[in-house]
Amino acid sequence: MIQQLINRYKRMRTERYLNQTYKCQYAFVGMGQHSLTNLYPVLHYLQVPLKYICVTNERKARLIEQKFKGIKATTRLDDILNDEDVKGVLVATSPNAHFSIASQVLQSGKSLFIEKPPCQSLEQLQELIKLQREFGSRVVMVGLQQRYAPAVQIIKRRLKGEQLLNYDLHYLTGAYPEGNALIDLYIHPIDLATWLFGKAEIVSYLEIDKQSYILMLRHQHIVGTIELSTCHCWQDARQSLTVHTRSGSYHLAQCEELSFVSKQAVIAGVPIEKLLPRRQSVECLYRHNGFSPTIVNNSIYTQGFFQEVYTFVNAVEGKKKSILTDLQSVKPTLKLIDDIMG
């Protein structure tokens, strides 16, 4: 009997995956390391019908057609925009090119997934929002994948019922000579702060080195400090967030682990732990399980990449999926970046 139940569960799990099919045609603009590592594998696993890949030169286009059988490689974005069969376009190219490409896709009326940053300023974001309304692109998503990370989803739900005090957020990497770290890299931790705590104003600001900053922010219900730095090492790059509340502290590390440490009781202003020391309990709310190599334990999933692409294609197909990263929702993030840039 037990073996029959196990076999039935496995069969249902396999059939659920096989029944998940997509009818629309899609195109991808760009083929950099990020795309190959984090986005293309999701499209392949979901078996999303990818009709085009658009790149910048003919040599790469020829290599793509050798590598990806059945996919058309092109160096002309118009080939995609003029093809009525293509309903959704995913874009992950040079950050400086995103605004121009996104504008053209929106003017075609196709649904758009645009990798972060979608543009270089709040003014440009407002222009993209205007184009979406004017030309009727039904689904538009920004690739801020941390919002879809399971650990971030958990802490966001937990914080709704908490009385917030303060937080500190650290985002530390090595040198970034190839672009503007503030918009290319720091958009992730800044967006994490605005996503969890709402729009913010800068209380104080210090540039500690080229492309490295320490900020103090005030949100409606909480204040926090953010350290953004390229003065460290890429081999030990890290992001961490600690949120202090009346009931205890949450600690999020790399979107891979989330824990909660409850605060000890205080009576008449006296901390009981000083009188009656007891072992501090740590509640593990989420942890990346590297033992079982399933989808949900893959770093592509724990970091949010899988869920964001899955959400996009399901929304394009007309299946109900909650979009967490539409253009409007990114306004507080780009407003804060504009304020930092002065």
Side-chain angles (χ1 to χ4, degrees):
M1 176 65 74
I2 293 179
Q3 188 61 48
Q4 289 179 345
L5 291 174
I6 292 173
N7 291 340
R8 182 182 179 186
Y9 168 74
K10 290 183 176 180
R11 184 174 65 252
M12 290 174 61
R13 186 174 56 187
T14 302
E15 290 178 355
R16 184 166 59 247
Y17 168 74
L18 294 175
N19 284 325
Q20 192 177 66
T21 58
Y22 300 100
K23 299 179 181 179
C24 298
Q25 296 285 319
Y26 296 82
F28 203 110
V29 181
M31 179 163 277
Q33 188 60 44
H34 168 66
S35 304
L36 290 171
T37 304
N38 300 314
L39 303 180
Y40 280 104
V42 181
L43 295 171
H44 177 73
Y45 175 83
L46 295 174
Q47 287 295 289
V48 174
L50 196 60
K51 187 172 183 179
Y52 293 96
I53 294 177
C54 182
V55 290
T56 55
N57 63 76
E58 292 288 350
R59 181 177 182 276
K60 185 180 284 188
R62 291 195 300 271
L63 293 173
I64 287 172
E65 290 192 340
Q66 293 178 19
K67 181 73 173 180
F68 297 87
K69 302 302 181 183
I71 294 178
K72 299 178 182 178
T74 180
T75 58
R76 290 170 36 86
L77 181 60
D78 284 345
D79 291 344
I80 295 170
L81 303 183
N82 294 331
D83 191 330
E84 294 184 358
D85 291 336
V86 174
K87 303 301 181 185
V89 181
L90 299 95
V91 179
T93 62
S94 168
N96 289 327
H98 282 174
F99 174 71
S100 174
I101 297 173
S103 299
Q104 295 177 68
V105 174
L106 291 176
Q107 290 178 63
S108 74
K110 300 183 186 300
S111 292
L112 169 68
F113 174 93
I114 179 74
E115 187 53 79
K116 60 80 191 170
C119 51
Q120 298 295 306
S121 66
L122 180 60
E123 181 180 0
Q124 288 186 343
L125 182 68
Q126 299 280 26
E127 180 63 25
L128 294 179
I129 293 172
K130 179 181 176 182
L131 289 174
Q132 181 184 6
R133 288 198 299 261
E134 183 177 352
F135 293 94
S137 296
R138 191 169 58 85
V139 180
V140 181
M141 279 181 56
V142 180
L144 290 164
Q145 84 284 346
Q146 289 189 3
R147 297 191 189 185
Y148 294 91
V152 174
Q153 291 288 300
I154 293 170
I155 192 173
K156 186 172 178 65
R157 289 196 300 268
R158 292 280 296 240
L159 292 178
K160 286 182 179 180
E162 294 277 12
Q163 187 175 353
L164 305 179
L165 296 175
N166 64 284
Y167 70 87
D168 58 89
L169 173 58
H170 303 271
Y171 187 89
L172 313 176
T173 73
Y176 186 71
E178 62 264 40
N180 183 343
L182 186 56
I183 189 71
D184 296 353
L185 299 180
Y186 300 155
I187 189 172
H188 281 304
I190 291 173
D191 184 73
L192 181 62
T194 59
W195 173 243
L196 291 177
F197 309 117
K199 61 182 181 180
E201 62 178 16
I202 300 175
V203 177
S204 63
Y205 158 88
L206 178 64
E207 186 170 0
I208 57 177
D209 194 28
K210 184 180 180 182
Q211 300 204 97
S212 296
Y213 312 87
I214 293 180
L215 311 172
M216 177 175 283
L217 304 180
R218 179 184 290 114
H219 306 260
Q220 184 177 4
H221 299 294
I222 193 172
V223 294
T225 57
I226 303 181
E227 179 185 10
L228 308 169
S229 180
T230 56
C231 297
H232 298 266
C233 175
W234 279 105
Q235 291 185 353
D236 192 34
R238 63 184 63 187
Q239 175 179 291
S240 64
L241 169 68
T242 300
V243 185
H244 302 285
T245 73
R246 290 292 182 190
S247 62
S249 299
Y250 294 87
H251 181 69
L252 175 66
Q254 315 276 91
C255 293
E256 299 289 323
E257 185 171 339
L258 175 63
S259 60
F260 175 73
V261 180
S262 60
K263 188 176 293 185
Q264 299 290 336
V266 176
I267 298 179
V270 177
I272 300 302
E273 58 187 314
K274 282 193 172 184
L275 303 176
L276 299 171
R278 60 181 62 183
R279 184 176 298 174
Q280 190 178 45
S281 64
V282 179
E283 180 184 2
C284 180
L285 302 176
Y286 181 85
R287 179 178 294 162
H288 175 208
N289 179 0
F291 176 78
S292 178
T294 60
I295 287 295
V296 296
N297 291 322
N298 191 293
S299 61
I300 291 179
Y301 191 97
T302 59
Q303 292 293 322
F305 294 110
F306 182 95
Q307 199 62 32
E308 69 172 0
V309 174
Y310 177 76
T311 298
F312 175 70
V313 295
N314 276 275
V316 174
E317 300 279 330
K319 303 172 183 178
K320 291 185 179 180
K321 286 294 172 185
S322 176
I323 296 176
L324 306 179
T325 52
D326 59 27
L327 293 175
Q328 287 285 353
S329 73
V330 184
K331 289 171 68 174
T333 300
L334 285 185
K335 170 64 166 59
L336 193 51
I337 291 175
D338 275 6
D339 291 343
I340 297 170
M341 296 177 69

